[in-house]
Amino acid sequence: MGRYVARRLLQMIPVFIGTTLLIFLMMYALPGDPVRALYGEQSIDPAQIARIKADYGLDQPIIKQYLDYLLGVFQGDFGTQIASRRPVADVIGEAFPVTIRLTIIAFVFTVVVGVSLGIVAGMRAGKKTDTGVLVLTLALISVPSFVLGFVFQQIFATSLGWTTPTVQDSLDPSQLILPGTVLASLSLAYVARLTRTSIAENMRADYMRTAVAKGLPRRRIISMHLMRNSMIPVVTFLGIDIGNLMTGAIVTEGIFNVQGVGNLVYQALSRREGATVVGIVTVMVIIYLFVNLIVDLLYAVLDPRIRYA
């Protein structure tokens, strides 16, 4: 197990470098000048622009800029915002916890509701309950998240008055429940359908018939045999989905005025603040890589036949 983890950690290095380099080059290729954008329509001395670029290292070749950024990341320095002159690490530190809370709410909702619906539908495959779950999940997949967000605002905020249409305090977890539900809707549908298919398939497996023939209690058959084998593909999807929820929060945060990473990315792109965008992507890549490592290790917990040499 230890050698496997060490090998996976080493494999993360080229993935991390390749991803951050790609985003860095994409930000460099965007049209516009971030220093010139600070002054809008005002006239400014070109010498002053050159001096500011030199202060931030923007006058260096792109590869030199990336290497300097990479060296700074390993020291905890993600660069400095040009507009506010604040360290990018401080800016991310303020916005990221909000998105993490929103992602956790959406993830818990996805797991609890999505897996429950999938289990009910899978154990009653072909019946009315199964059909109802399939219709519901198909509707959630078909409706874009921004449309669902406005519908939820109209129903739960405007009509019922259970909450405010937009988030007033992004640090209050209770106000993130509605946007978290909207964020989780698409993932919930996929988890429910994946769980349903896995449960229905394993219900017909030989080992299930053997367990029933041995006279094992139904609760033990479902919890120890059916669920553990059926959850392997679901756990794989959920591991990948954490990254999808964090990136999908950009749209949801815009609809509900959540002051998280999504709002920060939008402002950074509009001002062409490459350091901020690359810093956010760097943090997300690190989270994504370690979550996938944890998912791979969970395989051995769910299925005793899986061993990592």
Side-chain angles (χ1 to χ4, degrees):
M1 177 71 75
R3 294 178 61 184
Y4 173 79
V5 173
R7 187 168 64 249
R8 284 297 305 273
L9 291 174
L10 290 175
Q11 291 173 353
M12 290 180 183
I13 297 176
V15 175
F16 173 79
I17 294 176
T19 305
T20 53
L21 177 60
L22 179 61
I23 297 298
F24 203 92
L25 294 176
M26 290 174 63
M27 290 302 303
Y28 181 81
L30 287 178
D33 187 342
V35 178
R36 187 66 185 84
L38 290 175
Y39 299 91
E41 300 296 330
Q42 300 178 13
S43 60
I44 181 174
D45 185 3
Q48 185 176 353
I49 293 181
R51 185 170 60 255
I52 296 175
K53 287 185 176 182
D55 292 340
Y56 289 97
L58 299 178
D59 58 339
Q60 300 293 327
I62 182 61
I63 297 301
K64 177 67 165 55
Q65 293 183 39
Y66 175 73
L67 293 177
D68 291 341
Y69 169 78
L70 205 60
L71 181 62
V73 166
F74 290 113
Q75 298 175 355
D77 181 12
F78 289 84
T80 305
Q81 274 195 335
I82 299 176
S84 64
R85 300 183 182 275
R86 296 179 58 197
V88 174
D90 294 345
V91 177
I92 296 177
E94 293 177 359
F96 221 85
V98 177
T99 299
I100 291 293
R101 292 189 190 97
L102 182 62
T103 302
I104 291 175
I105 292 173
F107 184 77
V108 171
F109 190 78
T110 297
V111 172
V112 174
V113 179
V115 172
S116 299
L117 289 176
I119 293 174
V120 171
M123 297 189 67
R124 301 192 178 193
K127 298 183 179 179
K128 292 183 178 180
T129 304
D130 180 28
T131 303
V133 172
L134 291 178
V135 171
L136 174 62
T137 54
L138 181 61
L140 291 176
I141 293 173
S142 303
V143 179
S145 60
F146 61 88
V147 174
L148 192 64
F150 289 121
V151 171
F152 274 38
Q153 282 179 329
Q154 182 65 32
I155 295 175
F156 296 104
T158 305
S159 299
L160 298 178
W162 290 356
T163 183
T164 55
T166 57
V167 175
Q168 307 300 318
D169 183 7
S170 299
L171 299 178
D172 185 3
S174 63
Q175 296 190 28
L176 299 178
I177 294 178
L178 185 60
T181 303
V182 174
L183 179 61
S185 59
L186 181 60
S187 300
L188 181 152
Y190 283 124
V191 167
R193 293 173 76 91
L194 184 60
T195 305
R196 181 262 177 199
T197 302
S198 186
I199 290 288
E201 181 180 352
N202 283 296
M203 285 283 289
R204 300 188 296 267
D206 292 338
Y207 71 86
M208 288 294 294
R209 287 193 289 268
T210 302
V212 173
K214 287 182 176 181
L216 295 177
R218 180 177 175 82
R219 179 179 299 178
R220 180 176 176 81
I221 293 175
I222 293 175
S223 61
M224 298 300 296
H225 295 275
L226 178 62
M227 293 302 300
R228 290 182 65 176
N229 287 278
S230 301
M231 286 299 103
I232 292 178
V234 179
V235 168
T236 303
F237 177 84
L238 289 173
I240 299 174
D241 193 52
I242 291 180
N244 295 334
L245 289 174
M246 295 182 68
T247 54
I250 295 176
V251 177
T252 307
E253 288 178 3
I255 296 173
F256 291 93
N257 192 36
V258 179
Q259 302 301 310
V261 170
N263 183 59
L264 185 60
V265 168
Y266 174 78
Q267 294 179 2
L269 287 174
S270 63
R271 295 194 302 261
R272 203 177 176 273
E273 286 276 5
T276 305
V277 177
V278 177
I280 292 173
V281 172
T282 300
V283 176
M284 287 187 173
V285 168
I286 294 173
I287 294 175
Y288 183 83
L289 291 174
F290 278 98
V291 166
N292 277 271
L293 174 60
I294 294 173
V295 168
D296 287 346
L297 296 179
L298 283 177
Y299 289 162
V301 177
L302 294 172
D303 191 345
R305 296 171 297 179
I306 299 176
R307 289 292 180 266
Y308 296 114

